[in-house]
Amino acid sequence: MNASLLPTGSAYFLTQETATPERHTLSVLVDNEPGILARVVGLITARGFNIESLTVSETEHDKRLSRITLVTVAVPKTLTQIKLQLERLVPVHKVHDLTAEGAALERELALIKVKGTGEHRSETLRLADAFRAQVVDATTESFVFEVTGKSSKIDSFIALMVPLGLVEVVRTGLAAISRGPEGM
């Protein structure tokens, strides 16, 4: 018998953990002070969860506040624990689960270097135009494109650049904000 289903003197042994991990975007408003990023990241990674995306920037200079936007995958029960523990950290002001709160706006920026010679050069430019990628550097042998949008859009553009001579990719990580008139 499965060890998690053995009787323990409680009826709770009858339920099996069937929740599947979900991808969530968390927005955390913190004091901009040394060590806070390490504490937030440590809290999540100590529980064995990977951070898929992480961005941090000062958002209110006068108040010395920064916003940490992170994406992780966890079962709902664990995600609730993570949020509650984040809220208890002293320099944390607010924690929002943008995924649970509804449709949030999510964008990412990528710089993508592609070889661009011969007949591939015109095809590369045509596809970049279709994806609204901006040429931020060009030589006779290569391009560097700036692409912004949903992560899936950037993934698609990168996949199309591979056979055309993809050299290198740099991504910022996800920036996200909730919709509507309310702020964090």
Side-chain angles (χ1 to χ4, degrees):
M1 178 179 242
N2 187 339
S4 66
L5 298 178
L6 292 175
T8 61
S10 168
Y12 290 110
F13 79 91
L14 296 174
T15 61
Q16 182 176 349
E17 180 65 50
T18 58
T20 57
E22 300 172 352
R23 179 183 178 274
H24 280 258
T25 302
L26 302 178
S27 187
V28 185
L29 189 64
V30 299
D31 287 337
N32 186 4
E33 62 182 46
I36 184 59
L37 178 61
R39 290 173 64 194
V40 168
V41 168
L43 189 142
I44 293 166
T45 58
R47 279 138 191 85
F49 294 98
N50 186 40
I51 296 174
E52 293 186 356
S53 174
L54 175 70
T55 58
V56 184
S57 182
E58 187 172 67
T59 56
E60 296 183 45
H61 184 69
D62 301 353
K63 297 178 184 176
R64 299 200 32 81
L65 295 176
S66 290
R67 182 183 292 217
I68 299 171
T69 304
L70 62 93
V71 178
T72 191
V73 176
V75 295
K77 180 180 175 182
T78 303
L79 196 63
T80 299
Q81 290 174 339
I82 288 171
K83 291 186 294 188
L84 290 172
Q85 290 174 359
L86 281 172
E87 289 171 346
R88 282 183 263 194
L89 288 177
V90 173
V92 172
H93 294 276
K94 294 179 185 176
V95 177
H96 285 274
D97 183 346
L98 297 176
T99 304
E101 292 175 9
L105 298 172
E106 297 181 345
R107 295 293 183 267
E108 186 177 3
L109 178 134
L111 296 174
I112 301 165
K113 187 185 293 184
V114 182
K115 291 180 186 174
T117 58
E119 59 189 54
H120 289 294
R121 191 168 179 85
S122 60
E123 180 66 9
T124 301
L125 287 171
R126 187 186 68 73
L127 287 170
D129 186 51
F131 278 80
R132 295 189 178 118
Q134 301 296 312
V135 177
V136 292
D137 185 58
T139 68
T140 57
E141 298 178 349
S142 68
F143 296 104
V144 175
F145 298 104
E146 176 185 301
V147 183
T148 58
K150 293 183 177 183
S151 296
S152 58
K153 172 188 173 182
I154 294 171
D155 292 341
S156 296
F157 183 71
I158 291 168
L160 289 170
M161 293 298 113
V162 169
L164 297 175
L166 179 69
V167 175
E168 189 174 12
V169 176
V170 179
R171 296 175 83 150
T172 61
L174 202 64
I177 193 166
S178 62
R179 293 180 182 265
E182 300 299 318
M184 196 160 165

